[in-house]
Amino acid sequence: SVLFLVLMLSIFAVIFVAPFVTDWPNKVSFSLEHIIAVFTDDSLLQIYINTLEMAVLTAIIGTFTAYGAALVTARSHMPNTIPGMVLGVAYMFVFSGTSLQNTMWILLICNVIHYFSSPYLMMKNSLSKLNESWETTAGLMGDSWLKTIVRIVTPNVRESLWSVFDYYFTNACVTVSAIIFLVGSRTM
């Protein structure tokens, strides 16, 4: 098993060695040339900035969207369905040829919708564990539904909100699945 482990790790060793080599595999002398080039290239810096901007916006808007949807379905008596086919067809018809095409906003919308199901389920499960009589009690004491959500429910699901934010942020940083077809030269 040690031999098998060494063979498996040697495949990944190239990933960690190649950036520090002058010209892999022809000239294998140590060099920081590639690392310096990455940190001094203006176009790559803009790509990293775009990535972080997209990840933060996706995390914030996605968290609010998932929390809001979970609040509506877990704390009320509305049906719990997401029409995927309708959403896909609408996406295709609505955004093709619009001013949103090749913008950061279309990427943001795509990310929020693409990753919606897991954060939504996290929030819905978290909310379903809370006592359902809080809204009734708060209403009897004169608080509105919104005040109850802000004062009582949200602090009790704070850890889940951070988990949802982390999920959106991390996935928006590391994936290229759906947005690879939507990026333009400005939104790379």
Side-chain angles (χ1 to χ4, degrees):
S1 65
V2 171
L3 178 64
F4 182 72
L5 181 63
V6 168
L7 289 173
M8 289 297 291
L9 291 177
S10 66
I11 294 170
F12 295 104
V14 174
I15 296 170
F16 298 108
V17 172
F20 299 102
V21 173
T22 304
D23 185 23
W24 181 267
N26 302 327
K27 189 175 180 186
V28 289
S29 59
F30 179 78
S31 171
L32 291 175
E33 176 183 337
H34 302 295
I35 304 298
I36 292 169
V38 166
F39 288 108
T40 58
D41 188 357
D42 290 338
S43 64
L44 287 177
L45 181 61
Q46 187 59 45
I47 290 171
Y48 290 133
I49 290 169
N50 282 352
T51 300
L52 289 176
E53 180 181 313
M54 181 56 53
V56 168
L57 286 173
T58 299
I60 291 170
I61 293 173
T63 300
F64 280 115
T65 304
Y67 186 45
L71 274 171
V72 167
T73 58
R75 305 304 276 186
S76 69
H77 302 290
M78 290 185 67
N80 185 13
T81 60
I82 300 172
M85 180 73 79
V86 173
L87 187 63
V89 171
Y91 184 85
M92 184 177 68
F93 285 127
V94 170
F95 297 122
S96 292
T98 66
S99 61
L100 282 175
Q101 196 169 6
N102 294 326
T103 64
M104 293 292 269
W105 288 108
I106 192 72
L107 300 178
L108 178 64
I109 292 167
C110 181
N111 275 341
V112 169
I113 292 171
H114 182 69
Y115 301 120
F116 180 76
S117 60
S118 292
Y120 167 76
L121 290 174
M122 284 191 288
M123 288 309 312
K124 184 165 168 77
N125 288 335
S126 181
L127 288 166
S128 67
K129 293 176 186 174
L130 301 178
N131 191 336
E132 290 187 19
S133 66
W134 286 350
E135 285 92 343
T136 306
T137 304
L140 291 172
M141 297 177 70
D143 271 354
S144 67
W145 184 78
L146 186 60
K147 283 184 181 177
T148 305
I149 296 303
V150 171
R151 292 181 185 171
I152 298 169
V153 175
T154 301
N156 281 290
V157 295
R158 184 178 42 236
E159 293 300 320
S160 294
L161 286 169
W162 281 115
S163 294
V164 167
F165 183 89
D166 181 49
Y167 179 85
Y168 269 118
F169 183 84
T170 303
N171 282 301
C173 272
V174 298
T175 191
V176 292
S177 61
I179 63 170
I180 194 69
F181 301 107
L182 301 173
V183 296
S185 59
R186 290 185 329 233
T187 58
M188 187 180 309

